[in-house]
Amino acid sequence: MLAKKVAKLINEQVTLEFYSAYLYLDMANFYADQGLEGFAHWFEIQTQEERDHALLMRTYLLNNGVHVTFGTIHQPDKEFKALIDPLEAALEHEQYITGCINKIYGAAAEEKDYRTMQCFNWFVKEQGEEEKNVGDLIKKFKLFGSDPKGLYALDQELLARVYTAPSLVL
Ligand code: OFO
């Protein structure tokens, strides 16, 4: 049985993960409008991954007999102007989500909820990867993004990104 506090935090996180999916799809829309298909595709895959996170957490709660409720998914309200804006906003968002995941992990540790800690080891690691991925993309954008040929090559590279299902199995 999960402690109430832990279950509540994970339940709230389900909605936040769906919000992340929504936010990244909004970023994909921005790039699609600019004709940057590769960037749009990269964010569409981010959306799929966030949806996966939400579904995994939902399944984890259900498997542990927790009733799942969904919160309101807020409208993405950031105005993007420069091409780098969504990338920087995505990094900021991932850093925020890392804090949320750490809070869940911390609460589980406090409650000696080893099952949740074991499950959330995956999410802790995943956040490290997510921050690195978008951080690397920002670096590349800063190096090549101001040159049209460089931007085109980067867009083509991002177009090749392939969705992979999460390695966490519940
Ligand atoms: Fe769900 O990892 Fe990004 O936000």
Side-chain angles (χ1 to χ4, degrees):
M1 196 187 134
L2 304 191
K4 275 214 166 71
K5 184 178 160 193
V6 175
K8 185 173 177 284
L9 285 173
I10 300 175
N11 199 153
E12 286 167 1
Q13 193 63 29
V14 172
T15 302
L16 259 178
E17 296 293 330
F18 278 124
Y19 170 70
S20 302
Y22 210 35
L23 181 68
Y24 289 150
L25 205 54
D26 184 57
M27 294 176 180
N29 291 344
F30 170 79
Y31 286 117
D33 286 347
Q34 311 295 321
L36 288 166
E37 257 182 88
F39 282 83
H41 173 73
W42 194 89
F43 274 102
E44 283 160 10
I45 290 183
Q46 285 297 105
T47 293
Q48 286 177 279
E49 290 192 354
E50 298 304 346
R51 179 212 54 195
D52 289 341
H53 298 165
L55 295 179
L56 282 166
M57 289 179 197
R58 171 185 170 271
T59 302
Y60 179 72
L61 291 173
L62 293 177
N63 286 352
N64 284 281
V66 177
H67 173 69
V68 179
T69 54
F70 295 138
T72 303
I73 300 174
H74 295 292
Q75 182 181 19
D77 56 2
K78 284 224 177 200
E79 282 269 334
F80 303 123
K81 289 193 177 77
L83 292 178
I84 198 169
D85 290 352
L87 304 180
E88 287 179 335
L91 179 59
E92 204 181 296
H93 181 69
E94 284 307 326
Q95 288 164 343
Y96 166 69
I97 294 294
T98 295
C100 299
I101 297 290
N102 287 347
K103 199 168 159 195
I104 293 170
Y105 198 91
E110 234 172 67
E111 299 288 338
K112 294 192 168 44
D113 178 352
Y114 303 114
R115 192 186 306 162
T116 297
M117 287 168 75
Q118 194 192 37
C119 174
F120 271 72
N121 274 332
W122 187 86
F123 287 103
V124 169
K125 189 162 172 275
E126 175 74 4
Q127 280 312 119
E129 285 171 18
E130 299 249 304
E131 284 187 33
K132 183 181 182 320
N133 288 345
V134 71
D136 286 351
L137 188 49
I138 289 172
K139 278 184 208 156
K140 278 191 188 172
F141 187 89
K142 285 184 175 166
L143 281 171
F144 310 116
S146 55
D147 165 63
K149 278 188 191 146
L151 181 63
Y152 179 77
L154 186 54
D155 193 54
Q156 290 300 301
E157 183 188 317
L158 298 182
L159 198 54
R161 184 178 182 191
V162 176
Y163 165 76
T164 42
S167 56
L168 176 66
V169 178
L170 294 172

